[in-house]
Amino acid sequence: MKTIKTDIERLFRAHYQEMYHLARCILLDDAESKDVVSEVFSQLLAHPVVLLPGSETGYLMQAVRNRCRNVIAHKSVRQRVSQLLLNDERSLDQVTDDSLTSRLADLIGRLEPPLRRKIVTMRFTDGQTYKDIALTLGVSKVTVYNHLAEVLRQLRQQLKSKDYE
């Protein structure tokens, strides 16, 4: 294990700046860029890879590009969900806050399957991330996202319907 840490430290010293600059060019955000590079190195610590001399730079730079793509994709999902929520908010302006809150609580209480209720509670009440929810419940992040997307669709549909009592 000590040689792995030594190798990682050497890679870190030799390639950090270049990796950070690449991430910064892609993401345009200092903090996210540092996080991306840190995640690449933590992944190397968790799952050691044998790199041939001369292939280190290419591997590390590709890992940074891939991680940046994941960050951008995640942002895209968050932006779409935010836009859906904003659209719903505009259409529900006529409903009072208390009335809306009680309707939402009732609708969320009726969600099926129970896993869906748990995911909604963990995400919106507890403020947990998709990753934390997935780890806690033993499901994938995609499953968490799919359940939340379906919940938002159902809630939007039910809140807009005049038949809901």
Side-chain angles (χ1 to χ4, degrees), residues 36-55:
V36 162
V37 175
S38 295
E39 288 172 11
V40 168
F41 283 109
S42 69
Q43 191 68 23
L44 282 174
L45 272 173
H47 306 286
V49 175
V50 176
L51 298 174
L52 299 173
S55 69

Side-chain angles (χ1 to χ4, degrees), residues 14 29 37 78 82 110 125 146:
D29 184 280
V37 175
R78 277 192 311 206
S82 295
R110 296 181 187 188
T125 304
N146 288 337

Side-chain angles (χ1 to χ4, degrees), residues 16-28 33 36-37 57 60-66 68:
Y16 178 83
Q17 286 299 326
E18 187 179 7
M19 293 167 68
Y20 167 76
H21 287 296
L22 175 61
R24 181 74 174 92
C25 288
I26 295 171
L27 298 175
L28 305 173
S33 299
V36 162
V37 175
T57 303
L60 293 171
M61 298 306 272
Q62 188 61 48
V64 167
R65 280 191 288 277
N66 290 342
C68 287

